[in-house]
Amino acid sequence: MFAKLARTGVLITSIAIAGCNDSSMKDFAPEANKPLPDKILADMKAKGMIRTSSVMARIFKEEGKLEIWKAKTNGRYDMVASYDICKWSGKLGPKYTEGDRQAPEGFYTVRPSQMNPRSNYHLSFNIGFPNAYDRANGRTGQNLMVHGACSSSGCYSMTDAQIEQIYAFGRDAFQGGQTEFQVEAFPFRMTAANMARYRNDPNYEFWKMLKVGYDNFEITKVPPKVDVCEKRYVFNQVAADGQTFDPTGPCPTTTQPDSLKSAYNAYQSTYDAAYNGALKASVPPPKPTIAGIKEASIVSDWSKRRARGERVPIDPPSLNNDGTVTETARMGRIDSPAGRKMAALDAEKAAKQKAEEQRLAAIEAAKQAKEAAKAQALAEKEAAKAAKEAPVATATIATPTEAAPAAETQAADAGEGTVAKLKNKLLGMFGG
């Protein structure tokens, strides 16, 4: 009983939301109700389409194209419009994790509740990432859109004039009874030449899987039935009675119409020949691609730091083939409340750090001065001690009392000698 009430509550809520959205479209978002141009309507009529017939979108990153296809009266689809994508972010390759700035690749579903007439980007619709395949493979992210304003951080961004028309195609199809439309997002047109160009890319196996769905549409011109089992996409397969597709479980027993099998085999035979020829041909070099979850995680960390307002390299980092990371030298900070708050905190932190450095420098200078004075005093003390202990060279000087007798003796001796000399002289003169 409770479960029934809960489901009823969800249903009532869904109806309320849908009503609110519808009311909002009429009351506050006139751009969401603009009719398609007369020229497009005339082209549709010439191709056997009506305004409210079913629709689908195809996206090609490398070529920068978003195509709108509509069902003709015979049930097959034909392209009715093609738009140059204004901006898409990231590189070729799927989205792996929140913040890696990758625009998704894969098969997605858009329902009326995903249409946003009051978008901050003029008009938008959520493409439905993560889908069953993404969730089964642990891929994360949210709010991945096709929108206007020509600004992208993981989305496919168009000009405002373009999104008004693209939005109108979806709106009209829903009014005609279509309950959901498919968005197929590819890295490039999955031709033999392009597949040969990217045959050594780490994303190649993923792209080969997408190509099966791509080929099914090329053959039938009808959006393929998409399921997920064993963590991989399967296309146009019908599960045996009583069996279902479990995204993470084993694939059920399936069947496929013989006519489709035959057509696919013929298509594949032609493709194989073209692929072998492309291997020998001169082709343009591949464009940059994301190097798996490792690079996605590096970019995601950069995005988180940027969102916090930290100073980071202007452009997202890139993982090189040798495992090194390339970052631009230019640094910057996002201009947002978070960025301004972080700038103020960084300035306060820098001021505190400078004050602390000055305080420590003053302490160190005082310490060094004290140690220098102590060393000088010690040096002077040692010098005095050394001077006191050193031996002094002296000469013996006779005292006056000792010198006098010596002088008198010397004088007496001198006198006696003189007298003797005179006596001897006189004796010689007088014959004595």
Side-chain angles (χ1 to χ4, degrees), residues 190-199 204 270-284:
M190 311 202 89
T191 62
N194 280 337
M195 295 301 288
R197 286 172 62 206
Y198 290 96
R199 65 187 181 277
Y204 187 70
T270 302
Y271 166 81
D272 289 341
Y275 180 85
N276 291 331
L279 294 177
K280 305 171 185 177
S282 176
V283 295

Side-chain angles (χ1 to χ4, degrees), residues 63-144:
E63 292 80 4
K65 295 291 184 181
L66 186 151
E67 299 174 350
I68 297 297
W69 292 65
K70 281 184 72 70
K72 300 186 291 186
T73 52
N74 64 3
R76 289 178 175 266
Y77 283 61
D78 199 350
M79 188 173 69
V80 68
S82 177
Y83 302 94
D84 291 329
I85 298 173
C86 191
K87 285 183 180 179
W88 58 269
S89 67
K91 302 178 179 180
L92 301 185
K95 182 174 185 63
Y96 287 93
T97 187
E98 179 81 36
D100 64 9
R101 299 177 70 85
Q102 282 291 110
E105 294 174 5
F107 290 77
Y108 297 94
T109 300
V110 178
R111 299 180 177 88
S113 61
Q114 294 164 234
M115 305 286 282
N116 186 1
R118 291 178 291 174
S119 170
N120 292 328
Y121 302 93
H122 196 61
L123 294 170
S124 68
F125 57 85
N126 189 316
I127 69 171
F129 182 97
N131 62 15
Y133 172 86
D134 300 317
R135 291 191 297 271
N137 286 275
R139 296 180 178 177
T140 59
Q142 58 184 335
N143 301 324
L144 281 302

Side-chain angles (χ1 to χ4, degrees), residues 180-321:
E180 59 188 38
F181 68 84
Q182 193 174 97
V183 176
E184 303 175 359
F186 300 105
F188 39 75
R189 296 190 188 278
M190 311 202 89
T191 62
N194 280 337
M195 295 301 288
R197 286 172 62 206
Y198 290 96
R199 65 187 181 277
N200 297 320
D201 192 273
N203 298 292
Y204 187 70
E205 290 303 315
F206 172 73
W207 290 336
K208 281 175 64 178
M209 179 177 58
L210 296 188
K211 186 179 179 299
V212 177
Y214 175 96
D215 293 345
N216 270 265
F217 179 77
E218 290 294 313
I219 293 166
T220 65
K221 290 300 187 285
V222 174
K225 176 180 176 293
V226 181
D227 291 289
V228 179
C229 58
E230 297 177 0
K231 298 185 178 182
R232 60 184 176 88
Y233 284 111
V234 292
F235 302 97
N236 287 335
Q237 299 288 334
V238 179
D241 290 343
Q243 298 187 40
T244 59
F245 291 95
D246 180 352
T248 59
C251 290
T253 303
T254 61
T255 59
Q256 193 176 57
D258 290 337
S259 58
L260 180 56
K261 287 182 181 179
S262 298
Y264 185 85
N265 290 336
Y267 181 92
Q268 189 65 34
S269 178
T270 302
Y271 166 81
D272 289 341
Y275 180 85
N276 291 331
L279 294 177
K280 305 171 185 177
S282 176
V283 295
K287 295 293 180 66
T289 67
I290 190 164
I293 187 63
K294 185 174 182 180
E295 181 171 10
S297 298
I298 293 171
V299 177
S300 177
D301 178 69
W302 174 89
S303 296
K304 291 174 183 175
R305 291 187 288 118
R306 181 175 181 270
R308 290 195 297 264
E310 297 180 20
R311 289 188 78 248
V312 295
I314 293 295
D315 298 315
S318 181
L319 183 66
N320 302 315
N321 292 333

